Amino acid sequence: MDGGCGVKTRAVQGHALPASAVDLLALDGDLVGVVLSDGSMLQTNGFAPPENVLGPGPRPVAVFDGVVHAVDGSQHALGDSRPRAYDVEGTGIAEWRSMPEGMALLMEDGRLVVMAHHAPPHVVAQDVEHLLAASSSSLMFVDRSGLQFRSLDSTAKDWQRPERGSTGERITAACHLPHGVAVAREGHGLDGLEDEVEVEIWREGVLERCFSHDDVVLRLLHTSLGLVLTDQSGGVHRATEDGLRELHRGTSSALDLLELGHELCVASWFHLHGLDATGVVWTVE
């Protein structure tokens, strides 16, 4: 049908939720955990009606080996629907990233912890300020010395990205590439001068290329289309040999980005957009 103004729409089917959903967590198999605003969690495969698997309380941020890890640092059994109290004495989780065979947690006290299946937690670094990216073999994070690349096995060497510019900078995003890493930086301009935004390509600790951009980069992701970035004005861009090419321009910040099959899913404040190499394929408000 036509939704007006020439925009084609179609009905979306689903199940009503008892409260607003704030996150989706991967569970076993094809199951997904739907985190609600009160901290409770429902389980669904996308077709069957959701069922409650966690009671209200501190927001769950990850489920690992059947254990729910909550933002306050507490742990809970999946399937316990009783109300949960906040652990005010514990150390909370500031940031987290999924890994193919585990997850990385940045604790509020600055410890960077890696958890692998059926193994004790391993503290990789201390005094970490920001966790940028995690893969099966390495982590990227920011500490007081700058951006660090930390290998988790013998496939790569640890290295520290040298600071660039003389007026200070901020690392806003990073991702792993097949043979290197991509890093987005915001170089602080002097009084009256614009900040400098760049996307860097590093290979074996050597800066190979820089792409200039006109807005702060929020997300970087290596996809089947190559390197893709989102920015705070709603832009989605693809890195090419000739520079950055715009795939889409939204009306609010493009906050998150992931690849689903052969499509990119971009989340903004008010919309989800599905993109391919030609542009927008679908939109959900």
Side-chain angles (χ1 to χ4, degrees):
M1 66 180 180
D2 196 316
C5 300
V7 178
K8 294 187 178 298
T9 63
R10 62 182 178 181
V12 177
Q13 296 179 337
H15 300 280
L17 299 176
S20 297
V22 297
D23 202 359
L24 297 174
L25 303 181
L27 304 180
D28 290 338
D30 61 352
L31 296 175
V32 175
V34 182
V35 181
L36 303 182
S37 56
D38 63 356
S40 61
M41 185 165 65
L42 308 178
Q43 174 181 282
T44 182
N45 62 3
F47 301 99
E51 60 178 349
N52 185 276
V53 291
L54 190 68
R59 174 182 168 180
V61 298
V63 180
F64 192 70
D65 285 343
V67 177
V68 179
H69 295 260
V71 70
D72 63 345
S74 60
Q75 300 179 10
H76 309 273
L78 188 65
D80 187 352
S81 60
R82 295 173 297 177
R84 298 168 293 121
Y86 282 80
D87 183 3
V88 296
E89 301 295 332
T91 302
I93 301 172
E95 297 175 359
W96 56 92
R97 294 287 187 275
S98 296
M99 302 165 61
E101 297 297 330
M103 64 179 180
L105 303 175
L106 175 57
M107 310 305 292
E108 289 181 341
D109 60 4
R111 289 179 297 128
L112 181 55
V113 181
V114 169
M115 303 187 69
H117 291 294
H118 312 298
H122 172 55
V123 178
V124 176
Q126 305 273 3
D127 300 321
V128 175
E129 299 174 355
H130 185 25
L131 174 58
L132 291 165
S135 74
S136 59
S137 60
S138 62
L139 301 171
M140 281 190 286
F141 57 88
V142 174
D143 62 14
R144 287 175 293 185
S145 299
L147 186 145
Q148 308 289 339
F149 178 92
R150 185 66 52 85
S151 177
L152 299 177
D153 55 27
S154 59
T155 60
K157 296 181 179 180
D158 295 347
W159 62 275
Q160 176 179 321
R161 172 191 171 277
E163 185 174 348
R164 298 178 57 222
S166 59
T167 58
E169 62 178 0
R170 181 171 68 102
I171 305 300
T172 60
C175 75
H176 293 87
L177 300 174
H179 302 288
V181 299
V183 177
R185 67 180 288 269
E186 179 187 18
H188 304 317
L190 297 173
D191 290 344
L193 297 177
E194 293 291 331
D195 291 348
E196 179 184 49
V197 176
E198 292 178 319
V199 175
E200 307 169 335
I201 306 298
W202 294 82
R203 299 189 192 281
E204 298 182 352
V206 177
L207 180 61
E208 279 199 350
R209 186 171 182 183
C210 280
F211 297 92
S212 295
H213 194 44
D214 57 3
D215 200 3
V216 176
V217 175
L218 300 182
R219 290 288 184 272
L220 288 169
L221 182 67
H222 176 69
T223 74
S224 58
L225 299 178
L227 178 63
V228 177
L229 66 87
T230 70
D231 62 41
Q232 66 180 7
S233 294
V236 182
H237 299 260
R238 173 187 177 188
T240 71
E241 289 298 323
D242 298 324
L244 298 178
R245 183 172 73 84
E246 185 173 287
L247 290 174
H248 173 68
R249 171 65 59 179
T251 57
S252 61
S253 297
L255 301 172
D256 209 351
L257 171 69
L258 57 85
E259 188 168 26
L260 299 172
H262 297 291
E263 294 179 348
L264 302 179
C265 182
V266 180
S268 64
W269 283 112
F270 306 110
H271 297 90
L272 291 175
H273 299 288
L275 309 176
D276 63 13
T278 63
V280 175
V281 178
W282 53 264
T283 296
V284 177
E285 184 175 356

